[in-house]
Amino acid sequence: MMSPATASAQNCATLDVVVARGTSEPGYLGSAIGDPLYAVLSTQLPVDTTAHRVEYPADLLVPSSVGDGTRAMTTHLLSQAAACPEQRFVLVGYSQGAAVTHGVLGSPAMLVLPGMWVLPAELSSRVVAVLLFGDPLRLVGGTVAPLYADRTENYCTAGDPVCAGGIFPTAHGAYGWAFAAAAGQVNARL
């Protein structure tokens, strides 16, 4: 299995897994979701993959954090789409990163915020799957833009205060149960 850092060096892999980590989450792609999810995806998918960390503050005290994340994710997708015409994408967002991913996809709830960078619709066919974990918009009934609804999986652990209104803060980082299912969903869409 390749590490995300090694995988990133292979620019035009079949599938680029683009991860927006959660608030203050350590790790290259994020220790709660991105790193362990990519480990599962890279071993279970039948195609070569790369991993990309969305560089943004991931800090609730930085008012522009989500907007910065949408700019970074959209810029990466546009750059990769131009450089690698056959490459397709899996977009992953955890917690605040899920809000970033919503913004990139043009989710109606996010378009009211300033500074959102939305992926052009002509690139939508290159997005194989959208995987959201601990999505704060889920709690208020927010959904992805209709263009992406058929390829989006939104995982929420019971008791997670961020996506389910639960009372168990540790549930917000307990998503290992969903990784094999997420890999299966991506594989089914390849």
Side-chain angles (χ1 to χ4, degrees):
M1 176 179 71
M2 286 186 271
S3 74
T6 304
S8 293
Q10 298 175 354
N11 263 347
C12 288
T14 302
L15 197 62
D16 188 18
V17 179
V18 183
V19 182
R21 69 199 187 287
T23 303
S24 304
E25 187 183 8
Y28 176 70
L29 298 172
S31 60
I33 301 297
D35 292 332
L37 174 65
Y38 185 71
V40 171
L41 292 174
S42 65
T43 58
Q44 292 190 11
L45 296 179
V47 297
D48 57 321
T49 62
T50 60
H52 176 77
R53 169 189 165 123
V54 175
E55 293 294 342
Y56 81 111
D59 187 335
L60 293 175
L61 299 177
V62 176
S64 65
S65 184
V66 172
D68 292 346
T70 64
R71 182 180 63 251
M73 184 183 271
T74 300
T75 300
H76 172 75
L77 293 168
L78 291 170
S79 173
Q80 283 300 112
C84 305
E86 301 300 316
Q87 190 171 61
R88 296 190 297 162
F89 306 101
V90 172
L91 306 184
V92 179
Y94 168 53
S95 195
Q96 185 178 164
V100 166
T101 306
H102 274 284
V104 168
L105 300 178
S107 298
M110 297 303 293
L111 294 179
V112 299
L113 299 176
M116 294 293 109
W117 284 48
V118 178
L119 186 67
E122 60 267 17
L123 291 181
S124 67
S125 65
R126 298 194 41 194
V127 176
V128 172
V130 178
L131 306 173
L132 303 174
F133 299 85
D135 176 7
L137 272 70
R138 181 180 174 134
L139 186 60
V140 296
T143 59
V144 296
L147 186 58
Y148 298 96
D150 65 334
R151 58 194 117 159
T152 298
E153 297 297 328
N154 194 321
Y155 301 99
C156 182
T157 297
D160 185 332
V162 175
C163 62
I167 59 169
F168 302 108
T170 57
H172 190 54
Y175 283 91
W177 60 269
F179 298 158
Q185 292 297 328
V186 174
N187 192 33
R189 293 179 172 103
L190 289 175

